[in-house]
Amino acid sequence: MTEQYVLDLREIDESQVAVVGGKGAHLGSLSRIDGIRVPAGFCVTTDAYRRVVAQSPSLDAQLDRLSRVSPDDQEAIRTLSAEIRRTVEEIAVPDDLAGAITRALARSGERTAYAVRSSATAEDLPTASFAGQQDTYLNVVGPAAILRHVSRCWASLFTERAVTYRRRNGIDDRTVRMAVVVQQMVFPDASGILFTTDPVSGDRTVATVDAGFGLGEALVSGLVNPDVFKVRHGEVVARTISAKQREVHALPAGGTREVSIDSQRQEQPALTDAHAVRLVELGRRIEAHFGRPQDIEWCLVEDDFHIVQSRPITTLFPVPESADDENHVYVSVGHQQMMTDPMRPLGLSMWQQTAIVRMHEAGGRLFVDVTQRLAAPASRAGLLDLMGRGDPLVRDALETVLDREDFVPSLPDAPPAGPRGGAAPEPVATDPAVVTGLIERSQASIAALRRDLRTKTGPELFDFLPTAFEEHKRVLTDPLNFKAIMAGMEATWWLNDKLEEWLGEKNAADTLTLSAPGNVTSEMGLALLDVADVIRPHPEVVRFLEGVEDDGFLDELAKVPGGPEARDAIEAYLDRYGMRCVGEIDITRPRWSERPGTLVPVILDNVRNFEPGAARRRFEQGLEQARKKEQDVLSRLRALPDGEHKAAEAKGMIDRVRTFIGYREYPKYDIISRYFVYKQALMAEAERLAQAGVLADKEDVFYLTFEEFHDVVRTRRVDDRIVRQRKDAFRSYQALTPPRVLTSDGEALTGAYRRDDVPDGALVGLPVSTGTVEGRARVILDMADADLEAGDILVTTFTDPSWSPLFVAVAGLVTEVGGLMTHGAVIAREYGLPAVVGVEQATRRIRDGQRIRVHGTDGYIEILS
């Protein structure tokens, strides 16, 4: 049975990852591509690894200890992984296995030099490349040395970096096996790496070639800076030639060494332009074979290229699929909705089913194609203005694309809709009854949805839901609804623009909108202060809540003195707001009603940090500040030329903004309320499928689209393989950062502020709520980890409405994502918190506990300590 331990590379294809590992499978596939030269060799299979490690009874115990170590305990990982490597290296290679390897070597001659390279089963995968995590040995000569280095490769499965990488990618150490590739050495004149896509910008049309003299180890180890060639559409479009002072050479007896490069050669290019173009042509052939961008290691011997490795580039953000070959420009939905995390397939498809515009999926996120709107002058100006007011970084990214005059087509403006000379639609009257009527209609529609869904199950449920989605969209697209939303936003813009022009005051509307009526999101934060007021007088309840570890605590809470009142207060809060959660646009995210424990840390912070009656006092203080600001503004305006007219205009806009700005938050509340009704019906169906054995777990439906879920209900069958693949893909998407703007070429654009009016070293963002505050930065990525003290400044990735209960406890806000009218900005203004949003990598550049100063009026943050 020795044949199972060694396979020639030419016998291997991509389907054999479990037998030969990722690298071996890719090399086997490469060797089958016409015109691609791959050095001859063989693979020592994972069966050989399994056979060897089975000889060590101590290894199981060591792996058990490793599995119990915290991913953050690097010292323990370092110690245990070194111990496991020693154990594996010391295992004797059985005679029959050693014989199989020796016979394979004899086919090329025993004194031939080889590269001995690790090939793990969790390596060179589409979702995790594991580049450089295991070991490679070059120029190994002789059977004894080959066998020794095969053992070292097996052991390198447990390098500290490989173990840590697996933890980060959710891969169990016990599930990974190691194969070893043994290939004839190539002694190149030049070598390097080819990325078939620009790895920095993501542009799929640009290939990047890194090149140096000698063996590629000089580049990989950072010994020299490479020559860099950028190739687009068959020509070199940029090149950088570096001074290459050293190279790595193979020694005749085996091994390698660094040598100095003759001074006359140091600044010579390692490749000609013609070589770079030819190499990219080979790379495109390899990319087409594997179906995704590749990171390729190559060697040039005389005039021939040899390919020694190819792996997928796993750091690129995927490109939305398109039905044509035209250029497209996509804008991120997540940046508008304050949720840039990936969504599961059911979440994506439910948002697509209920969205007003068509949305495209990529990398677990949604994008809107704005190409047509950018193509015509009038719609382009409107889009840029709207995007610029909301998030200047999106506007800048779009303008960057437009600067490339050949990318977006130029189209004439569409003819005006409706009869010629028709009057513009009447603006909505400044009347609180408009808002009251819209809310009553929304509540009646949701109540009808609950009634309709109560009796529907199985295929009948899925036949009905598309009708519910149409009602969902009808409510959202009601012209009066849109007018009411825009009225508040436009009045805010008018006040900020005019009061800066007339009075020289920035962001005056921030104070004028304090404690605006009817803001369901700010009311949600204040209502949790009222819950804290119920709990505060009962120390036994506080102690009980401090020990809560799961979500089934409400029944037990009622048994504690004061517990029934506390439970009633929490349940009343959940009845009103329990459909909310972080990332709430993804229907698969657990709602507060499903995981009430999420709210416990926030309630305890409120108990500790506030006095009774804080919600009412806070609201009344905001009202008083807004009233005083209004009097001050109108008084100063009246003192200006034509002051009475200016004051009258401003008064009309102040009334208008206070009438409508609170409603800005209600449509999202409507959407999420409907989502919770949908989810309850869908999860009841999933529960029935799980009980019937159709699903292994009811939450497996999260990895199906709405249509696929319907098919499972109809057929009572599910493809478990698709569910597994989707779970792996979702895990990989969590490591990706979505761009604000993405092109069909794959170029990811984040935009820039292009400002020179901030201090050196300051972090620049978008000013969304006026004022300056200094305090301790609390970098919080999960609301459940909140531990706040009075005066803290919240620093996080994004805030959707579910974060507003934290806003009452902080003095300022910094986020990586956001715009002038996104929820976090609206609530920050409502609560009077200085806030700067859209700060690139804020949660990495600001450390938890640092003292910072937030300049909410001018849009920057200073790090003080």
Side-chain angles (χ1 to χ4, degrees):
M1 294 283 292
T2 55
E3 291 77 18
Q4 66 182 334
Y5 296 138
V6 173
L7 288 174
D8 191 281
L9 285 180
R10 289 167 298 188
E11 301 175 66
I12 295 167
D13 62 32
E14 284 170 88
S15 68
Q16 294 167 280
V17 171
V19 178
V20 296
K23 188 178 289 142
H26 274 77
L27 284 167
S29 290
L30 282 168
S31 65
R32 294 162 177 258
I33 304 172
D34 285 344
I36 303 299
R37 296 191 62 174
V38 176
F42 59 89
C43 196
V44 182
T45 67
T46 55
D47 288 340
Y49 169 81
R50 252 195 305 266
R51 165 90 182 276
V52 166
V53 297
Q55 295 178 206
S56 174
S58 65
L59 194 58
D60 263 351
Q62 290 171 329
L63 287 172
D64 278 343
R65 283 162 54 206
L66 184 61
S67 70
R68 292 193 293 270
V69 171
S70 162
D72 299 323
D73 191 346
Q74 284 302 118
E75 186 57 42
I77 290 174
R78 184 177 302 118
T79 302
L80 271 171
S81 59
E83 187 181 311
I84 293 169
R85 285 199 310 280
R86 282 194 300 274
T87 299
V88 174
E89 281 193 50
E90 288 167 5
I91 301 171
V93 179
D95 289 345
D96 59 335
L97 173 53
I101 295 171
T102 303
R103 284 192 296 277
L105 292 170
R107 288 196 284 270
S108 301
E110 289 197 351
R111 300 313 296 171
T112 299
Y114 288 89
V116 182
R117 311 166 76 196
S118 305
S119 179
T121 52
E123 183 176 15
D124 293 354
L125 304 180
T127 56
S129 76
F130 274 77
Q133 300 306 311
Q134 281 93 211
D135 289 347
T136 286
Y137 301 95
L138 299 180
N139 200 31
V140 183
V141 180
I146 298 282
L147 289 169
R148 190 164 60 251
H149 285 86
V150 167
S151 289
R152 288 181 180 172
C153 284
W154 287 331
S156 76
L157 191 59
F158 297 99
T159 62
E160 179 190 350
R161 62 184 181 272
V163 170
T164 301
Y165 193 94
R166 284 196 290 273
R167 295 289 177 90
R168 286 179 186 155
N169 283 275
I171 297 170
D172 185 347
D173 293 316
R174 287 182 178 279
T175 64
V176 184
R177 301 283 182 266
M178 179 68 85
V180 181
V181 173
V182 182
Q183 265 183 302
Q184 290 181 26
M185 271 293 291
V186 173
F187 301 102
D189 303 309
S191 59
I193 299 166
L194 159 63
F195 297 98
T196 61
T197 288
D198 188 318
V200 177
S201 73
D203 189 339
R204 270 50 166 191
T205 67
V206 175
T208 302
V209 178
D210 288 1
F213 293 122
L215 291 168
E217 292 305 291
L219 297 188
V220 173
S221 63
L223 186 63
V224 297
N225 291 323
D227 296 340
V228 180
F229 300 81
K230 290 191 179 292
V231 179
R232 189 169 192 257
H233 300 321
E235 64 175 311
V236 174
V237 294
R239 75 179 64 72
T240 303
I241 308 303
S242 301
K244 300 168 286 296
Q245 296 176 336
R246 303 185 72 74
E247 61 182 315
V248 174
H249 272 193
L251 297 171
T256 61
R257 73 170 180 190
E258 295 174 23
V259 297
S260 297
I261 295 176
D262 184 279
S263 59
Q264 294 179 330
R265 287 180 65 222
Q266 287 180 6
E267 298 195 21
Q268 289 181 7
L271 289 181
T272 65
D273 283 6
H275 278 138
V277 169
R278 180 150 56 93
L279 177 60
V280 169
E281 287 171 358
L282 296 175
R284 293 285 179 225
R285 201 176 301 175
I286 294 168
E287 179 183 66
H289 175 83
F290 289 117
R292 63 180 63 236
Q294 297 287 301
D295 162 359
I296 298 166
E297 294 182 22
W298 55 270
C299 296
L300 180 65
V301 183
E302 294 177 347
D303 201 38
D304 283 334
F305 283 106
H306 297 249
I307 305 301
V308 295
Q309 189 168 335
S310 185
R311 62 171 73 90
I313 306 175
T314 58
T315 55
L316 297 172
F317 200 86
V319 179
E321 289 184 8
S322 172
D324 58 45
D325 293 326
E326 302 297 317
N327 291 340
H328 294 271
V329 182
Y330 303 96
V331 170
S332 163
V333 172
H335 285 81
Q336 315 301 312
Q337 290 293 335
M338 297 300 92
M339 215 293 274
T340 54
D341 291 347
M343 297 166 68
R344 294 172 181 85
L346 185 62
L348 291 165
S349 69
M350 285 294 287
W351 195 260
Q352 288 170 310
Q353 292 272 345
T354 53
I356 298 164
V357 297
R358 187 176 176 218
M359 294 183 178
H360 306 261
E361 185 273 331
R365 279 82 168 185
L366 291 169
F367 294 84
V368 172
D369 187 342
V370 296
T371 318
Q372 292 296 309
R373 291 183 68 185
L374 287 175
S379 59
R380 179 192 311 142
L383 179 69
L384 292 175
D385 182 58
L386 186 65
M387 292 295 177
R389 284 187 178 276
D391 184 346
L393 293 177
V394 174
R395 175 173 184 146
D396 184 79
L398 291 173
E399 287 176 335
T400 301
V401 176
L402 289 168
D403 286 343
R404 296 162 197 156
E405 296 177 0
D406 60 340
F407 194 83
V408 176
S410 185
L411 299 175
D413 287 321
R420 284 191 183 182
E426 280 292 313
V428 64
T430 303
D431 181 357
V434 172
V435 171
T436 305
L438 285 167
I439 290 173
E440 286 173 353
R441 269 181 267 176
S442 160
Q443 290 173 340
S445 174
I446 292 169
L449 174 65
R450 284 198 187 94
R451 286 194 304 272
D452 289 339
L453 285 180
R454 202 165 285 146
T455 58
K456 291 181 171 55
T457 60
E460 186 188 8
L461 169 67
F462 284 86
D463 290 339
F464 171 77
L465 279 172
T467 306
F469 299 157
E470 288 308 309
E471 166 66 5
H472 179 130
K473 288 188 270 193
R474 187 197 66 74
V475 170
L476 285 181
T477 55
D478 179 343
L480 189 59
N481 179 57
F482 182 72
K483 285 181 183 179
I485 295 169
M486 292 307 297
M489 293 169 65
E490 287 167 351
T492 301
W493 297 335
W494 189 96
L495 285 166
N496 281 336
D497 291 347
K498 290 297 185 182
L499 296 182
E500 184 169 6
E501 177 188 339
W502 293 339
L503 299 176
E505 184 172 340
K506 288 183 180 179
N507 303 328
D510 292 0
T511 309
L512 293 166
T513 54
L514 288 172
S515 297
N519 188 319
V520 69
T521 307
S522 65
E523 288 167 2
M524 179 170 68
L526 296 177
L528 207 58
L529 288 175
D530 291 336
V531 173
D533 285 355
V534 175
I535 289 167
R536 194 178 291 105
H538 302 290
E540 295 92 339
V541 171
V542 174
R543 278 196 295 275
F544 175 87
L545 291 176
E546 286 171 342
V548 163
E549 292 182 354
D550 60 49
D551 294 303
F553 67 90
L554 287 170
D555 289 339
E556 290 299 311
L557 173 60
K559 301 172 184 176
V560 176
E565 301 98 301
R567 182 189 64 182
D568 289 349
I570 293 172
E571 287 183 339
Y573 185 87
L574 292 173
D575 285 344
R576 174 86 164 118
Y577 303 111
M579 78 294 287
R580 311 220 81 151
C581 66
V582 173
E584 61 192 8
I585 69 170
D586 182 353
I587 200 171
T588 72
R589 291 285 191 106
R591 312 285 129 176
W592 289 343
S593 287
E594 296 167 327
R595 290 198 186 160
T598 305
L599 293 173
V600 169
V602 190
I603 294 171
L604 290 171
D605 280 346
N606 288 349
V607 168
R608 187 175 67 248
N609 293 333
F610 293 92
E611 296 296 322
R616 177 179 45 78
R617 281 195 307 278
R618 192 177 193 113
F619 189 78
E620 288 172 353
Q621 286 166 1
L623 275 177
E624 181 62 17
Q625 284 178 265
R627 187 185 63 79
K628 285 183 176 176
K629 186 67 177 178
E630 178 179 338
Q631 290 174 342
D632 171 63
V633 163
L634 296 179
S635 171
R636 288 158 62 200
L637 286 174
R638 289 189 187 104
L640 298 176
D642 195 24
E644 288 299 331
H645 177 69
K646 288 184 170 78
E649 276 194 290
K651 172 61 176 164
M653 284 299 177
I654 291 169
D655 290 347
R656 193 165 179 78
V657 82
R658 291 196 65 80
T659 298
F660 291 112
I661 199 64
Y663 183 72
R664 164 73 180 82
E665 292 294 296
Y666 198 86
K668 184 74 169 280
Y669 180 78
D670 175 286
I671 292 170
I672 301 308
S673 297
R674 291 174 192 278
Y675 263 41
F676 193 41
V677 179
Y678 302 149
K679 184 175 186 181
Q680 288 172 311
L682 290 171
M683 292 316 291
E685 205 58 46
E687 182 74 53
R688 284 188 279 273
L689 290 170
Q691 288 174 352
V694 177
L695 296 173
D697 184 284
K698 66 180 180 181
E699 292 192 356
D700 283 354
V701 297
F702 293 166
Y703 299 93
L704 304 174
T705 65
F706 177 77
E707 295 85 353
E708 290 166 344
F709 191 174
H710 187 182
D711 286 342
V712 172
V713 168
R714 196 167 37 77
T715 64
R716 314 290 286 180
R717 287 197 307 274
V718 67
D719 188 338
D720 294 328
R721 187 172 45 87
I722 286 179
V723 171
R724 284 195 304 274
Q725 288 172 350
R726 300 260 178 88
K727 286 180 179 179
D728 288 343
F730 178 73
R731 265 198 303 272
S732 73
Y733 295 153
Q734 290 174 309
L736 299 176
T737 300
R740 283 176 167 81
V741 172
L742 182 66
T743 73
S744 49
D745 283 347
E747 188 172 8
L749 298 137
T750 56
Y753 286 107
R754 308 188 192 284
R755 290 175 54 187
D756 54 11
D757 59 342
V758 297
D760 288 345
L763 309 184
V764 183
L766 178 66
V768 295
S769 186
T770 194
T772 301
V773 66
E774 184 178 315
R776 179 180 69 153
R778 289 311 321 272
V779 180
I780 298 174
L781 302 180
D782 185 337
M783 195 171 133
D785 297 333
D787 180 14
L788 297 166
E789 295 177 6
D792 283 349
I793 296 168
L794 174 62
V795 181
T796 190
T797 313
F798 57 80
T799 60
D800 58 13
S802 70
W803 285 76
S804 62
L806 291 188
F807 284 24
V808 299
V810 297
L813 173 69
V814 178
T815 69
E816 294 182 352
V817 176
L820 191 61
M821 281 297 168
T822 48
H823 303 277
V826 171
I827 304 308
R829 290 193 292 274
E830 174 79 10
Y831 287 165
L833 302 178
V836 180
V837 302
V839 181
E840 282 291 292
Q841 298 189 331
T843 58
R844 297 178 205 173
R845 297 162 74 187
I846 299 172
R847 293 195 308 276
D848 187 54
Q850 277 187 315
R851 194 153 191 83
I852 63 174
R853 185 181 296 129
V854 176
H855 295 263
T857 306
D858 295 311
Y860 64 90
I861 297 101
E862 291 179 281
I863 298 176
L864 305 176
S865 66

